[in-house]
Amino acid sequence: MKGTSPLEMYNEFHDDLQAIFRSRLLTQILIALGSGSKPLSALRDVTGSSSQALIPKIRYLEALHYIESIRGDYALTPIGEIVEPEIERLVMVMGVLQRHRDFWIEHDIESIPPEFLSDLQDLYGAEVVRDVEEDIYAVHTAFAGILGRASWIHGVSSIMSPVHVDVIKKVVMDSKPVELVVSPELAARLAEEPYRTILESLKEYTRSGIYISPSPIRLGMTVTDEYLSLGLYKRDTDMYDAAADLIGTDAAAVAWGERVFQHYKATARPLRTPPE
């Protein structure tokens, strides 16, 4: 039996769908009640609207059986508890895409594994750092500062430079754990000078390790106990954009980056230095 497509569903129920997304108040009421029941006075505070403006919207949502009145407060119904998280997630995804619009437009976001693209809302609090004429080393300075303050470092990368290695070397020699997952192409480069000698000198530091991903990597990401730094390739090119990073300092961004790291590490194998 052929399934019903989302477009067919939309065509059938578009009146109610459009009503919710066209009305600021309908959307605000649902999202506000997502965190728990609230009296009318709280909904006035959240929406900045009067009771006269809110009550018709409340009645509309009650007619859809998305919300109900319980002992004088308003709350989501069981149906509303299914609908509201999806609305909230869409709002958050659209929010992060709009807040960092230029960054996502300019870069190859398909290089982020699909399961983590669906959680991009976790990066809403991050900020874009760019090299500009007034500060042509802004990205590197931010990167070095992140590593300098880190208690541990996890990285996933297809790019590396001697400058990066020098910064990482200082962290490793300070006895801080460093784990890197690199692309097969980058692993081959690390077997050559000047990287070979540097990595050989770090073999005694057993709290750190480099792993080779069996799958392609097209990003440069660093996660620490306090930071996420994400760099991507320019869209429709094979050129990594070293002049722009998305940097997050909140727990959601750091947790997102750690999940990406663990995703790549799960299938990676240790890099032998020097290669056997």
mmCIF file of all heavy atoms in Angstrom, residues 110-113 156-158 181-186 212-219 233 263-264 267:
data_model
loop_
_atom_site.group_PDB
_atom_site.id
_atom_site.type_symbol
_atom_site.label_atom_id
_atom_site.label_comp_id
_atom_site.label_asym_id
_atom_site.label_seq_id
_atom_site.Cartn_x
_atom_site.Cartn_y
_atom_site.Cartn_z
ATOM 1 N N GLU A 110 27.105 19.503 4.559
ATOM 2 C CA GLU A 110 26.881 18.075 4.346
ATOM 3 C C GLU A 110 28.022 17.233 4.894
ATOM 4 O O GLU A 110 27.895 16.019 5.046
ATOM 5 C CB GLU A 110 26.688 17.769 2.859
ATOM 6 C CG GLU A 110 25.391 18.307 2.266
ATOM 7 C CD GLU A 110 25.547 19.719 1.730
ATOM 8 O OE1 GLU A 110 26.597 20.349 2.012
ATOM 9 O OE2 GLU A 110 24.630 20.187 1.041
ATOM 10 N N SER A 111 29.159 17.866 5.202
ATOM 11 C CA SER A 111 30.279 17.126 5.760
ATOM 12 C C SER A 111 30.047 16.766 7.228
ATOM 13 O O SER A 111 30.765 15.945 7.796
ATOM 14 C CB SER A 111 31.568 17.951 5.629
ATOM 15 O OG SER A 111 31.449 19.188 6.303
ATOM 16 N N ILE A 112 29.038 17.388 7.856
ATOM 17 C CA ILE A 112 28.648 17.006 9.214
ATOM 18 C C ILE A 112 27.751 15.769 9.109
ATOM 19 O O ILE A 112 26.804 15.761 8.326
ATOM 20 C CB ILE A 112 27.890 18.151 9.906
ATOM 21 C CG1 ILE A 112 28.780 19.401 10.009
ATOM 22 C CG2 ILE A 112 27.409 17.734 11.290
ATOM 23 C CD1 ILE A 112 28.052 20.633 10.516
ATOM 24 N N PRO A 113 28.032 14.704 9.869
ATOM 25 C CA PRO A 113 27.189 13.506 9.778
ATOM 26 C C PRO A 113 25.709 13.847 9.958
ATOM 27 O O PRO A 113 25.354 14.675 10.801
ATOM 28 C CB PRO A 113 27.711 12.637 10.930
ATOM 29 C CG PRO A 113 29.146 13.045 11.083
ATOM 30 C CD PRO A 113 29.161 14.530 10.803
ATOM 31 N N VAL A 156 38.574 16.204 15.765
ATOM 32 C CA VAL A 156 38.295 15.468 14.530
ATOM 33 C C VAL A 156 38.717 16.382 13.395
ATOM 34 O O VAL A 156 38.240 17.518 13.307
ATOM 35 C CB VAL A 156 36.795 15.127 14.385
ATOM 36 C CG1 VAL A 156 36.546 14.416 13.059
ATOM 37 C CG2 VAL A 156 36.314 14.284 15.552
ATOM 38 N N SER A 157 39.603 15.903 12.519
ATOM 39 C CA SER A 157 40.128 16.839 11.524
ATOM 40 C C SER A 157 40.650 16.152 10.271
ATOM 41 O O SER A 157 41.127 15.016 10.311
ATOM 42 C CB SER A 157 41.255 17.677 12.129
ATOM 43 O OG SER A 157 41.641 18.704 11.248
ATOM 44 N N SER A 158 40.529 16.884 9.191
ATOM 45 C CA SER A 158 41.146 16.464 7.932
ATOM 46 C C SER A 158 42.249 17.442 7.539
ATOM 47 O O SER A 158 42.827 17.311 6.461
ATOM 48 C CB SER A 158 40.086 16.414 6.827
ATOM 49 O OG SER A 158 39.471 17.687 6.692
ATOM 50 N N VAL A 181 41.080 12.325 16.044
ATOM 51 C CA VAL A 181 40.683 11.416 14.969
ATOM 52 C C VAL A 181 40.924 12.151 13.663
ATOM 53 O O VAL A 181 40.410 13.259 13.456
ATOM 54 C CB VAL A 181 39.198 11.007 15.077
ATOM 55 C CG1 VAL A 181 38.835 10.065 13.929
ATOM 56 C CG2 VAL A 181 38.921 10.350 16.416
ATOM 57 N N VAL A 182 41.736 11.554 12.777
ATOM 58 C CA VAL A 182 42.113 12.240 11.544
ATOM 59 C C VAL A 182 41.673 11.421 10.338
ATOM 60 O O VAL A 182 41.426 10.217 10.429
ATOM 61 C CB VAL A 182 43.636 12.486 11.487
ATOM 62 C CG1 VAL A 182 44.087 13.335 12.671
ATOM 63 C CG2 VAL A 182 44.410 11.164 11.462
ATOM 64 N N SER A 183 41.581 12.086 9.213
ATOM 65 C CA SER A 183 41.211 11.422 7.968
ATOM 66 C C SER A 183 42.369 10.554 7.477
ATOM 67 O O SER A 183 43.531 10.781 7.852
ATOM 68 C CB SER A 183 40.869 12.454 6.903
ATOM 69 O OG SER A 183 42.025 13.211 6.570
ATOM 70 N N PRO A 184 42.111 9.569 6.631
ATOM 71 C CA PRO A 184 43.200 8.748 6.083
ATOM 72 C C PRO A 184 44.239 9.585 5.352
ATOM 73 O O PRO A 184 45.446 9.320 5.443
ATOM 74 C CB PRO A 184 42.475 7.796 5.130
ATOM 75 C CG PRO A 184 41.089 7.703 5.674
ATOM 76 C CD PRO A 184 40.779 9.065 6.225
ATOM 77 N N GLU A 185 43.782 10.604 4.638
ATOM 78 C CA GLU A 185 44.718 11.469 3.895
ATOM 79 C C GLU A 185 45.627 12.233 4.850
ATOM 80 O O GLU A 185 46.838 12.346 4.625
ATOM 81 C CB GLU A 185 43.939 12.442 3.015
ATOM 82 C CG GLU A 185 43.148 11.794 1.895
ATOM 83 C CD GLU A 185 41.827 11.208 2.366
ATOM 84 O OE1 GLU A 185 41.442 11.442 3.541
ATOM 85 O OE2 GLU A 185 41.176 10.504 1.570
ATOM 86 N N LEU A 186 45.055 12.761 5.928
ATOM 87 C CA LEU A 186 45.875 13.490 6.891
ATOM 88 C C LEU A 186 46.825 12.548 7.615
ATOM 89 O O LEU A 186 47.977 12.910 7.896
ATOM 90 C CB LEU A 186 44.983 14.219 7.898
ATOM 91 C CG LEU A 186 45.715 14.992 8.998
ATOM 92 C CD1 LEU A 186 46.720 15.979 8.416
ATOM 93 C CD2 LEU A 186 44.712 15.724 9.894
ATOM 94 N N ILE A 212 42.895 6.943 13.199
ATOM 95 C CA ILE A 212 42.582 7.133 11.781
ATOM 96 C C ILE A 212 41.143 6.705 11.528
ATOM 97 O O ILE A 212 40.764 5.564 11.817
ATOM 98 C CB ILE A 212 43.525 6.312 10.887
ATOM 99 C CG1 ILE A 212 44.986 6.600 11.213
ATOM 100 C CG2 ILE A 212 43.245 6.607 9.411
ATOM 101 C CD1 ILE A 212 45.959 5.708 10.463
ATOM 102 N N SER A 213 40.359 7.603 10.980
ATOM 103 C CA SER A 213 38.981 7.274 10.629
ATOM 104 C C SER A 213 38.960 6.471 9.328
ATOM 105 O O SER A 213 39.659 6.817 8.377
ATOM 106 C CB SER A 213 38.160 8.556 10.456
ATOM 107 O OG SER A 213 36.895 8.280 9.904
ATOM 108 N N PRO A 214 38.158 5.416 9.242
ATOM 109 C CA PRO A 214 38.050 4.680 7.975
ATOM 110 C C PRO A 214 37.197 5.415 6.945
ATOM 111 O O PRO A 214 37.245 5.092 5.762
ATOM 112 C CB PRO A 214 37.384 3.371 8.402
ATOM 113 C CG PRO A 214 36.551 3.753 9.583
ATOM 114 C CD PRO A 214 37.352 4.809 10.312
ATOM 115 N N SER A 215 36.439 6.393 7.410
ATOM 116 C CA SER A 215 35.555 7.147 6.513
ATOM 117 C C SER A 215 36.104 8.549 6.302
ATOM 118 O O SER A 215 36.884 9.066 7.115
ATOM 119 C CB SER A 215 34.147 7.221 7.092
ATOM 120 O OG SER A 215 34.164 7.795 8.389
ATOM 121 N N PRO A 216 35.734 9.193 5.215
ATOM 122 C CA PRO A 216 36.239 10.550 4.935
ATOM 123 C C PRO A 216 35.822 11.542 6.021
ATOM 124 O O PRO A 216 34.776 11.404 6.648
ATOM 125 C CB PRO A 216 35.581 10.894 3.594
ATOM 126 C CG PRO A 216 35.192 9.593 2.993
ATOM 127 C CD PRO A 216 34.858 8.691 4.136
ATOM 128 N N ILE A 217 36.669 12.530 6.225
ATOM 129 C CA ILE A 217 36.375 13.636 7.139
ATOM 130 C C ILE A 217 36.582 14.927 6.371
ATOM 131 O O ILE A 217 37.605 15.102 5.719
ATOM 132 C CB ILE A 217 37.302 13.611 8.371
ATOM 133 C CG1 ILE A 217 37.073 12.339 9.198
ATOM 134 C CG2 ILE A 217 37.087 14.842 9.239
ATOM 135 C CD1 ILE A 217 38.047 12.189 10.353
ATOM 136 N N ARG A 218 35.613 15.816 6.449
ATOM 137 C CA ARG A 218 35.737 17.109 5.785
ATOM 138 C C ARG A 218 35.346 18.231 6.741
ATOM 139 O O ARG A 218 34.426 19.004 6.510
ATOM 140 C CB ARG A 218 34.870 17.156 4.519
ATOM 141 C CG ARG A 218 35.515 16.472 3.326
ATOM 142 C CD ARG A 218 34.619 16.482 2.114
ATOM 143 N NE ARG A 218 34.194 17.813 1.728
ATOM 144 C CZ ARG A 218 34.906 18.652 0.985
ATOM 145 N NH1 ARG A 218 36.106 18.294 0.539
ATOM 146 N NH2 ARG A 218 34.440 19.843 0.671
ATOM 147 N N LEU A 219 36.063 18.268 7.853
ATOM 148 C CA LEU A 219 35.862 19.335 8.827
ATOM 149 C C LEU A 219 37.060 19.386 9.751
ATOM 150 O O LEU A 219 37.908 18.501 9.744
ATOM 151 C CB LEU A 219 34.560 19.127 9.616
ATOM 152 C CG LEU A 219 34.313 17.795 10.318
ATOM 153 C CD1 LEU A 219 35.041 17.709 11.656
ATOM 154 C CD2 LEU A 219 32.828 17.593 10.574
ATOM 155 N N TYR A 233 34.686 23.173 5.303
ATOM 156 C CA TYR A 233 35.167 23.492 3.963
ATOM 157 C C TYR A 233 34.224 24.500 3.308
ATOM 158 O O TYR A 233 33.016 24.520 3.595
ATOM 159 C CB TYR A 233 35.243 22.233 3.104
ATOM 160 C CG TYR A 233 36.450 21.376 3.397
ATOM 161 C CD1 TYR A 233 36.532 20.643 4.582
ATOM 162 C CD2 TYR A 233 37.508 21.302 2.505
ATOM 163 C CE1 TYR A 233 37.638 19.861 4.870
ATOM 164 C CE2 TYR A 233 38.615 20.517 2.771
ATOM 165 C CZ TYR A 233 38.685 19.804 3.956
ATOM 166 O OH TYR A 233 39.785 19.046 4.234
ATOM 167 N N HIS A 263 31.447 9.667 17.735
ATOM 168 C CA HIS A 263 30.961 9.038 16.506
ATOM 169 C C HIS A 263 32.130 8.606 15.622
ATOM 170 O O HIS A 263 32.161 7.479 15.106
ATOM 171 C CB HIS A 263 30.058 10.013 15.759
ATOM 172 C CG HIS A 263 29.778 9.633 14.339
ATOM 173 N ND1 HIS A 263 28.772 8.751 13.998
ATOM 174 C CD2 HIS A 263 30.362 10.016 13.158
ATOM 175 C CE1 HIS A 263 28.752 8.610 12.679
ATOM 176 N NE2 HIS A 263 29.695 9.356 12.154
ATOM 177 N N TYR A 264 33.100 9.489 15.437
ATOM 178 C CA TYR A 264 34.247 9.171 14.587
ATOM 179 C C TYR A 264 35.220 8.215 15.281
ATOM 180 O O TYR A 264 35.774 7.308 14.652
ATOM 181 C CB TYR A 264 34.973 10.452 14.180
ATOM 182 C CG TYR A 264 34.321 11.168 13.024
ATOM 183 C CD1 TYR A 264 33.554 12.310 13.231
ATOM 184 C CD2 TYR A 264 34.459 10.706 11.726
ATOM 185 C CE1 TYR A 264 32.941 12.972 12.164
ATOM 186 C CE2 TYR A 264 33.861 11.349 10.655
ATOM 187 C CZ TYR A 264 33.099 12.485 10.885
ATOM 188 O OH TYR A 264 32.502 13.119 9.828
ATOM 189 N N THR A 267 34.835 4.056 15.266
ATOM 190 C CA THR A 267 35.272 3.174 14.169
ATOM 191 C C THR A 267 36.729 3.414 13.766
ATOM 192 O O THR A 267 37.201 2.818 12.792
ATOM 193 C CB THR A 267 34.373 3.374 12.934
ATOM 194 O OG1 THR A 267 34.401 4.753 12.544
ATOM 195 C CG2 THR A 267 32.935 2.973 13.240
#
